[in-house]
Amino acid sequence: MKHTKGDWAYRACEDGAKRKGAYAILAGKKTIAHVLSDEDSPLAPMDVEAVANTRLMAASPDLLTACEDILGALVAAYANVSDPDDRRGWSDDDAFRTYRKAKDAIAKATK
């Protein structure tokens, strides 16, 4: 599965078509998702959780790339076998656990 290409960003929706407290996730100039704040929140339209969720989603492509880079660096530094999923080939337990977490996160994002 491939995600929408382009630099992802976010912005608050302030036009009349969207209610206040809504945020748009953009890939380039294309809106690919909206995040709505809890309309019952005393913080709406500046709902802290909605803003945090929006920022996390906008950072997703960069986080995916970082996980892929970390995975490669861990394998190069600590794995001494052709099959990096084989724990026996790793020289460091923490590195193997981090490898598994990164691999699982990548799978969650791409499968």
Side-chain angles (χ1 to χ4, degrees), residues 4-108:
T4 304
K5 297 297 179 195
D7 291 329
W8 286 25
Y10 70 95
R11 66 171 172 74
C13 295
E14 297 181 16
D15 61 0
K18 307 286 182 212
R19 71 179 179 87
K20 287 192 179 254
Y23 303 89
I25 307 293
L26 307 166
K29 294 181 180 181
K30 179 181 176 184
T31 299
I32 58 171
H34 286 100
V35 176
L36 304 177
S37 67
D38 181 357
E39 60 189 316
D40 296 326
S41 169
L43 299 175
M46 297 303 291
D47 184 343
V48 174
E49 187 174 299
V51 172
N53 290 339
T54 302
R55 288 179 176 167
L56 180 61
M57 285 190 279
S60 294
D62 297 329
L63 294 169
L64 177 59
T65 298
C67 279
E68 291 168 340
D69 291 349
I70 289 167
L71 203 66
L74 285 169
V75 169
Y78 295 102
N80 300 314
V81 294
S82 59
D83 179 11
D85 290 325
D86 182 355
R87 168 61 193 99
R88 294 170 296 179
W90 285 75
S91 61
D92 183 278
D93 288 339
D94 289 336
F96 182 71
R97 281 192 291 277
T98 302
Y99 163 83
R100 290 298 316 157
K101 286 180 186 177
K103 188 170 181 178
D104 291 347
I106 292 167
K108 186 175 183 179

